Amino acid sequence: MNLTVTASLAFPVFVQGLALSFGLIVAIGAQNAFVLRQGLRREHVGGVVLFCATADALLIAAGVMGMAQALGESPNLARALALAGSVFLAVYGWQALRRARQTHHLDAIEAGSSQTLGATVAQAAAFTLLNPHVYLDTVLLVGSIGAQQPNGLRAWFIAGASGASLAWFALLGFGARWLAPVFARPRAWQVLDGLIGLTMFVLSALLVRHALVGI
């Protein structure tokens, strides 16, 4: 297979992983507020961003590789998970569109006493690893979708999904001074939720097609 064909196959898979992960991670929550707060305080931003992005990447890779083994042994399970994932994404997209009709914003407190790097990373670990939705999103949902990619393209899917996490956390942390006033405006979240909702519906449709092709 030549390089042009390889790139033409890899890029859509990379984008699918990127869009899926970005759609799931961009939401008002404790982890995002914590990263934004550290960025506003300019305190251990690099360590927090690196930890959150690395944790997501490891969970995504573990999910894809672990689910790949399970799905490889049962094609019917692969189709069932594809259909279940499409339903989940459709519901998630519908919820995002509903949020787009509401007014909400992300608050992050800049003031506060300084902490050591260890204490700050421990807080980041708690916000990341003690949240059950993290495992549902990264290991089960992203993992099951990524596992259905051809063997040679799974790494591209993982790279796209992990890249979305890294880009988002870096944007929140290092761009906090600029982003804080933007995310304090309800309109910004309404537009973002609208885009996320549409993206989730497109990914849901792709999963349905993937499941039906395998029947």
Side-chain angles (χ1 to χ4, degrees):
M1 183 177 293
N2 60 50
L3 180 60
T4 302
V5 173
T6 300
S8 67
L9 292 174
F11 183 71
V13 173
F14 178 88
V15 171
Q16 184 180 3
L18 185 78
L20 176 62
S21 180
F22 190 79
L24 293 173
I25 198 173
V26 177
I28 294 178
Q31 185 190 45
N32 284 337
F34 177 74
V35 175
L36 184 62
R37 186 194 71 178
Q38 293 303 121
L40 289 172
R41 295 169 64 178
R42 299 182 182 180
E43 184 178 83
H44 309 306
V45 179
V48 169
V49 169
L50 182 61
F51 176 86
C52 292
T54 301
D56 268 12
L58 291 175
L59 289 171
I60 289 168
V64 171
M65 297 309 176
M67 294 299 293
Q69 183 176 358
L71 298 184
E73 299 170 355
S74 177
N76 289 331
L77 177 61
R79 286 191 288 271
L81 283 178
L83 291 173
S86 70
V87 172
F88 179 90
L89 290 179
V91 171
Y92 192 95
W94 176 72
Q95 291 175 338
L97 292 180
R98 283 190 62 190
R99 289 197 306 269
R101 300 175 58 187
Q102 303 169 357
T103 57
H104 46 249
H105 61 278
L106 178 62
D107 289 320
I109 306 302
E110 180 177 0
S113 58
S114 60
Q115 298 184 106
T116 64
L117 175 60
T120 303
V121 171
Q123 278 189 289
F127 285 126
T128 302
L129 301 177
L130 297 182
N131 180 4
H133 290 289
V134 167
Y135 301 96
L136 174 65
D137 291 347
T138 58
V139 178
L140 185 58
L141 181 60
V142 178
S144 63
I145 294 174
Q148 298 182 54
Q149 303 295 336
N151 186 48
L153 296 177
R154 287 174 192 151
W156 287 99
F157 182 90
I158 293 172
S162 301
S165 292
L166 176 60
W168 174 248
F169 289 128
L171 187 63
L172 272 184
F174 295 108
R177 296 278 171 173
W178 174 73
L179 289 174
V182 174
F183 286 159
R185 300 172 185 169
R187 183 63 177 170
W189 285 101
Q190 289 177 313
V191 172
L192 197 55
D193 279 329
L195 293 174
I196 289 172
L198 294 176
T199 300
M200 293 296 104
F201 278 123
V202 170
L203 293 175
S204 175
L206 290 175
L207 274 185
V208 170
R209 193 179 90 174
H210 180 86
L212 294 180
V213 168
I215 294 177

